Amino acid sequence: MTADTADLTGDETGRIREQRGWYFYDFACSVYSTSVVTVFLGPYLTSVAKAAADADGFVHPLGIPVRAGSVFAYSVSVSIVVAVLLMPLAGAVADRTGRKKPLLAVAAYVGAGATAGMFFLDGDRYALGVVLLIVANASLSVSMALYNAYLPQIATPEERDAVSSRGWAFGYTSGAFVLVLNLILYTGHESFGVSESTAVRICLASAGVWWGAFTLIPLSRLRDRRVVKDGGHAGEGSVGTGWRQLMATLRDMRRHPLTLSFLLAYLIYNDGVQTVISQASIYGSEELGLDQTTLITAVLLVQILAVAGALGMGRLARTHGAKRTILASLAVWTVILGAGYFLPAGAPVWFFALAAAIGMVLGGSQALSRSLFSHLVPRGKEAEYFAAYEMSDRGLSWLGPLVFGLAYQVTGSYRDAILSLVIFFVIGFVLLARVPVRRAVAEAGNPVPDRI
């Protein structure tokens, strides 16, 4: 187990300092999720793939015929499969050695470097974009698993909903700020003396620079915990021992079936959330015929309202509990997707209305899911269990993009693709409603908050 109990009951000043440093990793990496995944890379990589496509609209990576419009969705799916292979190993090694911070640094800077490299994505080099997207997405997933594992070590049970919500709020604040700068550059690219393509590539690369620069703050404030093993050895954390520890973790998780039940529910409904985030810009540009400026403005609206949504839903959780608040957000998500299917093409005002609704539930549903799971993690297994959580958050969110891509490949309609995502929220709602969270917290060996 890690020697973290004293940290939560002793030095309050040190704990708050770590919390403030912790917020800044959301501040650093959320720009990638916003500017790269949500806004620019989907439409831009699709245009690059179309430039490389044959007369029938197909590209042929590794000799496999793929419709150019599905390249981005399939690339997201592949990146997540890669992350699935890496995250459990990183989590097992982190818990065995107690050295989450060096692993966090490696994952963050590999991802930031790949993102900065997107500046060189032009012409018909879609394969370069695919590789960089896979590396950056997988690195982000690994880093977030390690980052999230700090939450139960730096916040008391009563603090976690608020601390998690503030982290998301920090992330959405940075995403909005950088997106304003992107909007200025993109819309005024001619006055800056650059082409539209070059402006997009600068926006992509700048996200990597931002990610790398602000990662220095959490790395300076977060600290690794001493590991105390029953046998008196912390281990060396080699690859072999890491995999053996992973197998032990998987066996251990079977002893906590209610924690696994929550993870299953989260896996399904968050798959829908992540797919909406990653595919919204393609839906807006390809199906609704909206220009890039409209898409950027809509995503900026999401970012601004997501700050208020994350903090507001955190306050609702104090009164109604995290589980009920999350369930309410899933009902709203279902309504949003139903409305999205009927959005008229070429009507930005309705797209903005939908973006506003997404913003109000996006941050809160994610922040409260993270804090709720932190109560279900046995002490001393934070990184390992949060690796499993991140597999549900990003690592196993391959099915939604795959379904979305297949639906488009078969029907040629993004409306059919967006409607297919409703099932993720409906099933996730039903499964989460069946989890007795108070009993799950107690069975994990943690104190049960007054309201959860």
Side-chain angles (χ1 to χ4, degrees):
M1 61 179 291
T2 53
D4 60 351
T5 304
D7 297 336
L8 296 181
T9 59
D11 182 9
E12 181 179 0
T13 301
R15 187 172 76 248
I16 293 175
R17 184 177 188 276
E18 276 198 278
Q19 289 173 4
R20 291 173 177 170
W22 185 81
Y23 300 149
F24 270 94
Y25 192 68
D26 257 321
F27 191 85
C29 69
S30 291
V31 171
Y32 168 82
S33 299
T34 302
S35 292
V36 177
V37 177
T38 305
V39 177
F40 287 108
L41 188 57
Y44 185 68
L45 181 57
T46 300
S47 69
V48 173
K50 286 181 176 179
D54 59 22
D56 296 321
F58 286 83
V59 292
H60 300 269
L62 303 177
I64 303 171
V66 175
R67 191 185 293 270
S70 295
V71 166
F72 178 69
Y74 289 156
S75 299
V76 172
S77 292
V78 172
S79 73
I80 291 164
V81 172
V82 174
V84 166
L85 299 176
L86 297 178
M87 284 190 295
L89 175 60
V93 172
D95 279 337
R96 185 176 181 85
T97 64
R99 302 186 67 199
K100 286 193 288 289
K101 191 159 71 170
L103 293 171
L104 174 62
V106 169
Y109 284 108
V110 168
T115 306
M118 292 178 185
F119 179 80
F120 301 102
L121 174 61
D122 61 355
D124 60 358
R125 293 193 284 180
Y126 78 93
L128 174 64
V130 168
V131 171
L132 293 176
L133 171 58
I134 290 171
V135 172
N137 248 17
S139 298
L140 178 67
S141 296
V142 172
S143 71
M144 287 301 294
L146 298 163
Y147 163 73
N148 287 336
Y150 276 102
L151 180 58
Q153 296 182 329
I154 64 173
T156 65
E158 293 75 16
E159 293 174 331
R160 288 179 199 168
D161 286 346
V163 169
S164 183
S165 296
R166 289 188 200 114
W168 281 107
F170 262 60
Y172 286 118
T173 299
S174 73
F177 175 73
V178 173
L179 206 52
V180 168
L181 300 180
N182 292 158
L183 183 60
I184 293 171
L185 175 61
Y186 180 79
T187 57
H189 62 85
E190 291 183 355
S191 62
F192 288 104
V194 298
S195 66
E196 180 178 333
S197 173
T198 301
V200 171
R201 291 188 292 118
I202 291 173
C203 292
L204 292 171
S206 65
V209 175
W210 181 283
W211 183 359
F214 283 98
T215 294
L216 293 172
I217 298 176
L219 292 180
S220 69
R221 294 196 174 188
L222 292 173
R223 62 184 183 84
D224 287 329
R225 268 67 178 172
R226 177 173 54 88
V227 175
V228 179
K229 293 294 181 180
D230 293 338
H233 295 87
E236 297 302 323
S238 66
V239 173
T241 56
W243 280 110
R244 286 195 294 270
Q245 183 64 40
L246 169 60
M247 299 309 297
T249 300
L250 295 176
R251 289 192 296 269
D252 183 75
M253 291 185 73
R254 293 166 57 187
R255 298 172 47 237
H256 302 282
L258 296 181
T259 300
L260 286 175
S261 295
F262 172 82
L263 275 178
L264 177 61
Y266 181 69
L267 182 157
I268 293 173
Y269 72 73
N270 189 65
D271 202 341
V273 172
Q274 295 298 324
T275 307
V276 171
I277 292 172
S278 65
Q279 305 302 319
S281 60
I282 287 184
Y283 182 70
S285 62
E286 299 293 324
E287 185 67 38
L288 303 182
L290 302 176
D291 59 35
Q292 190 75 1
T293 301
T294 299
L295 295 176
I296 296 173
T297 304
V299 174
L300 179 60
L301 181 62
V302 169
Q303 298 298 302
I304 294 172
L305 292 178
V307 175
L311 298 176
M313 287 181 64
R315 293 190 181 96
L316 285 176
R318 298 176 193 170
T319 304
H320 303 287
K323 177 183 173 181
R324 290 182 180 178
T325 307
I326 294 169
L327 288 172
S329 76
L330 297 183
V332 175
W333 273 109
T334 303
V335 173
I336 287 171
L337 287 179
Y341 178 81
F342 295 103
L343 281 186
V349 64
W350 291 110
F351 192 71
F352 290 151
L354 202 68
I358 289 175
M360 293 306 296
V361 294
L362 175 60
S365 59
Q366 293 176 318
L368 292 178
S369 296
R370 177 170 65 185
S371 62
L372 179 56
F373 181 71
S374 72
H375 295 284
L376 310 181
V377 178
R379 182 170 288 121
K381 299 180 181 295
E382 292 83 8
E384 296 170 43
Y385 273 65
F386 266 106
Y389 175 85
E390 192 66 20
M391 287 169 65
S392 299
D393 188 357
R394 287 179 173 84
L396 291 185
S397 295
W398 54 269
L399 184 59
L402 180 61
V403 169
F404 190 94
L406 286 173
Y408 176 75
Q409 177 133 347
V410 171
T411 68
S413 170
Y414 284 109
R415 291 186 187 274
D416 293 333
I418 203 73
L419 189 63
S420 69
L421 302 180
V422 169
I423 193 65
F424 291 96
F425 294 99
V426 173
I427 294 177
F429 181 99
V430 172
L431 292 178
L432 178 60
R434 293 169 57 89
V435 178
V437 292
R438 298 186 68 85
R439 183 152 60 92
V441 175
E443 290 187 3
N446 295 318
V448 181
D450 293 335
R451 189 172 298 279
I452 191 172

PDB file of all heavy atoms in Angstrom, residues 24-43:
ATOM      1  N   PHE A  24      -3.527  21.731 -12.985  1.00  0.00           N
ATOM      2  CA  PHE A  24      -2.866  22.256 -14.169  1.00  0.00           C
ATOM      3  C   PHE A  24      -2.555  21.188 -15.211  1.00  0.00           C
ATOM      4  O   PHE A  24      -2.224  21.535 -16.355  1.00  0.00           O
ATOM      5  CB  PHE A  24      -1.596  23.029 -13.783  1.00  0.00           C
ATOM      6  CG  PHE A  24      -1.851  24.482 -13.540  1.00  0.00           C
ATOM      7  CD1 PHE A  24      -2.097  24.957 -12.270  1.00  0.00           C
ATOM      8  CD2 PHE A  24      -1.874  25.381 -14.601  1.00  0.00           C
ATOM      9  CE1 PHE A  24      -2.348  26.292 -12.047  1.00  0.00           C
ATOM     10  CE2 PHE A  24      -2.126  26.717 -14.393  1.00  0.00           C
ATOM     11  CZ  PHE A  24      -2.372  27.180 -13.106  1.00  0.00           C
ATOM     12  N   TYR A  25      -2.638  19.906 -14.875  1.00  0.00           N
ATOM     13  CA  TYR A  25      -2.480  18.948 -15.963  1.00  0.00           C
ATOM     14  C   TYR A  25      -3.719  18.934 -16.837  1.00  0.00           C
ATOM     15  O   TYR A  25      -3.625  18.809 -18.070  1.00  0.00           O
ATOM     16  CB  TYR A  25      -2.140  17.537 -15.474  1.00  0.00           C
ATOM     17  CG  TYR A  25      -1.717  16.681 -16.654  1.00  0.00           C
ATOM     18  CD1 TYR A  25      -0.524  16.946 -17.312  1.00  0.00           C
ATOM     19  CD2 TYR A  25      -2.536  15.682 -17.155  1.00  0.00           C
ATOM     20  CE1 TYR A  25      -0.142  16.221 -18.439  1.00  0.00           C
ATOM     21  CE2 TYR A  25      -2.161  14.943 -18.277  1.00  0.00           C
ATOM     22  CZ  TYR A  25      -0.969  15.220 -18.916  1.00  0.00           C
ATOM     23  OH  TYR A  25      -0.600  14.512 -20.035  1.00  0.00           O
ATOM     24  N   ASP A  26      -4.908  19.066 -16.232  1.00  0.00           N
ATOM     25  CA  ASP A  26      -6.111  19.274 -17.038  1.00  0.00           C
ATOM     26  C   ASP A  26      -5.954  20.531 -17.887  1.00  0.00           C
ATOM     27  O   ASP A  26      -6.321  20.564 -19.066  1.00  0.00           O
ATOM     28  CB  ASP A  26      -7.341  19.414 -16.140  1.00  0.00           C
ATOM     29  CG  ASP A  26      -8.190  18.145 -16.104  1.00  0.00           C
ATOM     30  OD1 ASP A  26      -8.341  17.507 -17.152  1.00  0.00           O
ATOM     31  OD2 ASP A  26      -8.692  17.797 -15.020  1.00  0.00           O
ATOM     32  N   PHE A  27      -5.406  21.579 -17.291  1.00  0.00           N
ATOM     33  CA  PHE A  27      -5.183  22.837 -17.993  1.00  0.00           C
ATOM     34  C   PHE A  27      -4.241  22.639 -19.177  1.00  0.00           C
ATOM     35  O   PHE A  27      -4.407  23.256 -20.232  1.00  0.00           O
ATOM     36  CB  PHE A  27      -4.588  23.858 -17.019  1.00  0.00           C
ATOM     37  CG  PHE A  27      -4.528  25.272 -17.518  1.00  0.00           C
ATOM     38  CD1 PHE A  27      -5.616  26.116 -17.394  1.00  0.00           C
ATOM     39  CD2 PHE A  27      -3.379  25.769 -18.094  1.00  0.00           C
ATOM     40  CE1 PHE A  27      -5.561  27.427 -17.846  1.00  0.00           C
ATOM     41  CE2 PHE A  27      -3.305  27.082 -18.545  1.00  0.00           C
ATOM     42  CZ  PHE A  27      -4.405  27.909 -18.423  1.00  0.00           C
ATOM     43  N   ALA A  28      -3.254  21.762 -19.012  1.00  0.00           N
ATOM     44  CA  ALA A  28      -2.257  21.533 -20.058  1.00  0.00           C
ATOM     45  C   ALA A  28      -2.797  20.691 -21.203  1.00  0.00           C
ATOM     46  O   ALA A  28      -2.684  21.063 -22.378  1.00  0.00           O
ATOM     47  CB  ALA A  28      -1.022  20.863 -19.452  1.00  0.00           C
ATOM     48  N   CYS A  29      -3.381  19.536 -20.886  1.00  0.00           N
ATOM     49  CA  CYS A  29      -3.689  18.563 -21.937  1.00  0.00           C
ATOM     50  C   CYS A  29      -5.068  18.741 -22.554  1.00  0.00           C
ATOM     51  O   CYS A  29      -5.324  18.211 -23.643  1.00  0.00           O
ATOM     52  CB  CYS A  29      -3.541  17.141 -21.408  1.00  0.00           C
ATOM     53  SG  CYS A  29      -4.794  16.653 -20.203  1.00  0.00           S
ATOM     54  N   SER A  30      -5.969  19.477 -21.907  1.00  0.00           N
ATOM     55  CA  SER A  30      -7.316  19.627 -22.459  1.00  0.00           C
ATOM     56  C   SER A  30      -7.316  20.387 -23.777  1.00  0.00           C
ATOM     57  O   SER A  30      -8.238  20.251 -24.583  1.00  0.00           O
ATOM     58  CB  SER A  30      -8.223  20.334 -21.444  1.00  0.00           C
ATOM     59  OG  SER A  30      -8.476  19.498 -20.334  1.00  0.00           O
ATOM     60  N   VAL A  31      -6.284  21.190 -24.001  1.00  0.00           N
ATOM     61  CA  VAL A  31      -6.179  21.904 -25.271  1.00  0.00           C
ATOM     62  C   VAL A  31      -6.057  20.917 -26.427  1.00  0.00           C
ATOM     63  O   VAL A  31      -6.603  21.148 -27.519  1.00  0.00           O
ATOM     64  CB  VAL A  31      -4.968  22.860 -25.229  1.00  0.00           C
ATOM     65  CG1 VAL A  31      -4.700  23.457 -26.599  1.00  0.00           C
ATOM     66  CG2 VAL A  31      -5.214  23.962 -24.208  1.00  0.00           C
ATOM     67  N   TYR A  32      -5.370  19.802 -26.210  1.00  0.00           N
ATOM     68  CA  TYR A  32      -5.285  18.765 -27.242  1.00  0.00           C
ATOM     69  C   TYR A  32      -6.677  18.221 -27.558  1.00  0.00           C
ATOM     70  O   TYR A  32      -7.071  18.122 -28.723  1.00  0.00           O
ATOM     71  CB  TYR A  32      -4.367  17.628 -26.790  1.00  0.00           C
ATOM     72  CG  TYR A  32      -4.461  16.411 -27.684  1.00  0.00           C
ATOM     73  CD1 TYR A  32      -3.749  16.337 -28.873  1.00  0.00           C
ATOM     74  CD2 TYR A  32      -5.294  15.351 -27.348  1.00  0.00           C
ATOM     75  CE1 TYR A  32      -3.865  15.240 -29.712  1.00  0.00           C
ATOM     76  CE2 TYR A  32      -5.419  14.246 -28.177  1.00  0.00           C
ATOM     77  CZ  TYR A  32      -4.701  14.189 -29.357  1.00  0.00           C
ATOM     78  OH  TYR A  32      -4.831  13.105 -30.191  1.00  0.00           O
ATOM     79  N   SER A  33      -7.426  17.879 -26.512  1.00  0.00           N
ATOM     80  CA  SER A  33      -8.758  17.321 -26.731  1.00  0.00           C
ATOM     81  C   SER A  33      -9.663  18.303 -27.461  1.00  0.00           C
ATOM     82  O   SER A  33     -10.450  17.915 -28.327  1.00  0.00           O
ATOM     83  CB  SER A  33      -9.382  16.927 -25.383  1.00  0.00           C
ATOM     84  OG  SER A  33      -8.605  15.940 -24.739  1.00  0.00           O
ATOM     85  N   THR A  34      -9.533  19.592 -27.120  1.00  0.00           N
ATOM     86  CA  THR A  34     -10.414  20.603 -27.704  1.00  0.00           C
ATOM     87  C   THR A  34      -9.989  20.996 -29.111  1.00  0.00           C
ATOM     88  O   THR A  34     -10.721  20.815 -30.086  1.00  0.00           O
ATOM     89  CB  THR A  34     -10.442  21.858 -26.808  1.00  0.00           C
ATOM     90  OG1 THR A  34     -10.870  21.490 -25.502  1.00  0.00           O
ATOM     91  CG2 THR A  34     -11.390  22.888 -27.377  1.00  0.00           C
ATOM     92  N   SER A  35      -8.787  21.558 -29.228  1.00  0.00           N
ATOM     93  CA  SER A  35      -8.358  22.114 -30.516  1.00  0.00           C
ATOM     94  C   SER A  35      -8.039  21.033 -31.541  1.00  0.00           C
ATOM     95  O   SER A  35      -8.350  21.185 -32.725  1.00  0.00           O
ATOM     96  CB  SER A  35      -7.128  23.008 -30.314  1.00  0.00           C
ATOM     97  OG  SER A  35      -7.467  24.172 -29.592  1.00  0.00           O
ATOM     98  N   VAL A  36      -7.430  19.931 -31.088  1.00  0.00           N
ATOM     99  CA  VAL A  36      -6.993  18.906 -32.035  1.00  0.00           C
ATOM    100  C   VAL A  36      -8.124  17.922 -32.343  1.00  0.00           C
ATOM    101  O   VAL A  36      -8.588  17.822 -33.483  1.00  0.00           O
ATOM    102  CB  VAL A  36      -5.755  18.157 -31.499  1.00  0.00           C
ATOM    103  CG1 VAL A  36      -5.346  17.033 -32.452  1.00  0.00           C
ATOM    104  CG2 VAL A  36      -4.602  19.135 -31.314  1.00  0.00           C
ATOM    105  N   VAL A  37      -8.575  17.186 -31.321  1.00  0.00           N
ATOM    106  CA  VAL A  37      -9.534  16.106 -31.560  1.00  0.00           C
ATOM    107  C   VAL A  37     -10.916  16.647 -31.922  1.00  0.00           C
ATOM    108  O   VAL A  37     -11.548  16.176 -32.866  1.00  0.00           O
ATOM    109  CB  VAL A  37      -9.620  15.182 -30.326  1.00  0.00           C
ATOM    110  CG1 VAL A  37     -10.675  14.107 -30.552  1.00  0.00           C
ATOM    111  CG2 VAL A  37      -8.271  14.546 -30.048  1.00  0.00           C
ATOM    112  N   THR A  38     -11.389  17.640 -31.173  1.00  0.00           N
ATOM    113  CA  THR A  38     -12.762  18.083 -31.351  1.00  0.00           C
ATOM    114  C   THR A  38     -12.942  19.023 -32.532  1.00  0.00           C
ATOM    115  O   THR A  38     -13.965  18.966 -33.213  1.00  0.00           O
ATOM    116  CB  THR A  38     -13.265  18.775 -30.064  1.00  0.00           C
ATOM    117  OG1 THR A  38     -13.090  17.891 -28.958  1.00  0.00           O
ATOM    118  CG2 THR A  38     -14.735  19.145 -30.178  1.00  0.00           C
ATOM    119  N   VAL A  39     -11.959  19.897 -32.797  1.00  0.00           N
ATOM    120  CA  VAL A  39     -12.182  20.945 -33.800  1.00  0.00           C
ATOM    121  C   VAL A  39     -11.436  20.701 -35.106  1.00  0.00           C
ATOM    122  O   VAL A  39     -12.038  20.512 -36.155  1.00  0.00           O
ATOM    123  CB  VAL A  39     -11.801  22.334 -33.229  1.00  0.00           C
ATOM    124  CG1 VAL A  39     -11.960  23.408 -34.307  1.00  0.00           C
ATOM    125  CG2 VAL A  39     -12.675  22.667 -32.035  1.00  0.00           C
ATOM    126  N   PHE A  40     -10.122  20.696 -35.055  1.00  0.00           N
ATOM    127  CA  PHE A  40      -9.367  20.824 -36.299  1.00  0.00           C
ATOM    128  C   PHE A  40      -8.999  19.510 -36.982  1.00  0.00           C
ATOM    129  O   PHE A  40      -9.079  19.403 -38.205  1.00  0.00           O
ATOM    130  CB  PHE A  40      -8.081  21.626 -36.047  1.00  0.00           C
ATOM    131  CG  PHE A  40      -8.320  23.088 -35.832  1.00  0.00           C
ATOM    132  CD1 PHE A  40      -8.186  23.641 -34.576  1.00  0.00           C
ATOM    133  CD2 PHE A  40      -8.693  23.912 -36.879  1.00  0.00           C
ATOM    134  CE1 PHE A  40      -8.409  24.996 -34.362  1.00  0.00           C
ATOM    135  CE2 PHE A  40      -8.917  25.266 -36.690  1.00  0.00           C
ATOM    136  CZ  PHE A  40      -8.781  25.814 -35.426  1.00  0.00           C
ATOM    137  N   LEU A  41      -8.562  18.515 -36.220  1.00  0.00           N
ATOM    138  CA  LEU A  41      -7.944  17.365 -36.878  1.00  0.00           C
ATOM    139  C   LEU A  41      -8.940  16.530 -37.669  1.00  0.00           C
ATOM    140  O   LEU A  41      -8.602  16.034 -38.748  1.00  0.00           O
ATOM    141  CB  LEU A  41      -7.221  16.491 -35.847  1.00  0.00           C
ATOM    142  CG  LEU A  41      -6.373  15.365 -36.450  1.00  0.00           C
ATOM    143  CD1 LEU A  41      -5.335  15.924 -37.422  1.00  0.00           C
ATOM    144  CD2 LEU A  41      -5.690  14.556 -35.357  1.00  0.00           C
ATOM    145  N   GLY A  42     -10.156  16.354 -37.157  1.00  0.00           N
ATOM    146  CA  GLY A  42     -11.140  15.539 -37.880  1.00  0.00           C
ATOM    147  C   GLY A  42     -11.393  16.043 -39.294  1.00  0.00           C
ATOM    148  O   GLY A  42     -11.136  15.328 -40.278  1.00  0.00           O
ATOM    149  N   PRO A  43     -11.876  17.284 -39.438  1.00  0.00           N
ATOM    150  CA  PRO A  43     -12.100  17.791 -40.804  1.00  0.00           C
ATOM    151  C   PRO A  43     -10.821  17.904 -41.627  1.00  0.00           C
ATOM    152  O   PRO A  43     -10.829  17.616 -42.826  1.00  0.00           O
ATOM    153  CB  PRO A  43     -12.714  19.177 -40.546  1.00  0.00           C
ATOM    154  CG  PRO A  43     -13.315  19.088 -39.187  1.00  0.00           C
ATOM    155  CD  PRO A  43     -12.400  18.186 -38.413  1.00  0.00           C
TER     156      PRO A  43
END
